[in-house]
Amino acid sequence: MAKGYWVSVYPAISDPEVLTAYNKLARQAVQAGGGRTLARGGGRVVAHEAGITERVVLIEFDSFDQAVAAYESEAYRKALAALPDGFERDFRIVEGID
């Protein structure tokens, strides 16, 4: 079965502290949903073409369906409610290749 991945890119973060509540709740929701964080911004990034060097997060789940279920969970809905108004990010759930 192909794995599932959450991929988040934050085009700009003017105040990282406003993400504190979201980060705590999201981390708990991801762990409860069986996800594993593989990469998270703050480290080294080399961007090419239209790439963005701001925060990028990559989370792996055992299956695509598990990744979707974690996103749709009550725990993650609470995390989303903690995102500040007007906050911009590009979030995708993608299926891995067997």
Side-chain angles (χ1 to χ4, degrees):
M1 179 181 308
K3 294 185 179 192
Y5 297 88
W6 286 9
V7 182
S8 301
V9 177
Y10 297 75
I13 299 176
S14 58
D15 183 3
E17 294 302 314
V18 300
L19 290 175
T20 301
Y22 164 80
N23 288 337
K24 180 179 178 183
L25 293 169
R27 187 176 312 113
Q28 293 169 352
V30 165
Q31 289 174 348
R36 296 167 299 283
T37 302
L38 299 180
R40 182 174 43 236
R44 295 170 44 174
V45 175
V46 176
H48 295 281
E49 299 167 28
I52 297 170
T53 59
E54 198 57 69
R55 185 179 175 97
V56 176
V57 180
L58 177 63
I59 298 172
E60 180 182 65
F61 292 85
D62 289 336
S63 71
F64 180 80
D65 292 339
Q66 186 181 29
V68 171
Y71 183 85
E72 294 174 348
S73 71
E74 179 64 28
Y76 194 66
R77 278 197 288 273
K78 289 178 183 177
L80 287 174
L83 275 174
D85 288 339
F87 201 81
E88 183 183 350
R89 71 179 179 156
D90 180 355
F91 182 95
R92 298 160 194 246
I93 300 174
V94 297
E95 185 174 38
I97 300 171
D98 281 338

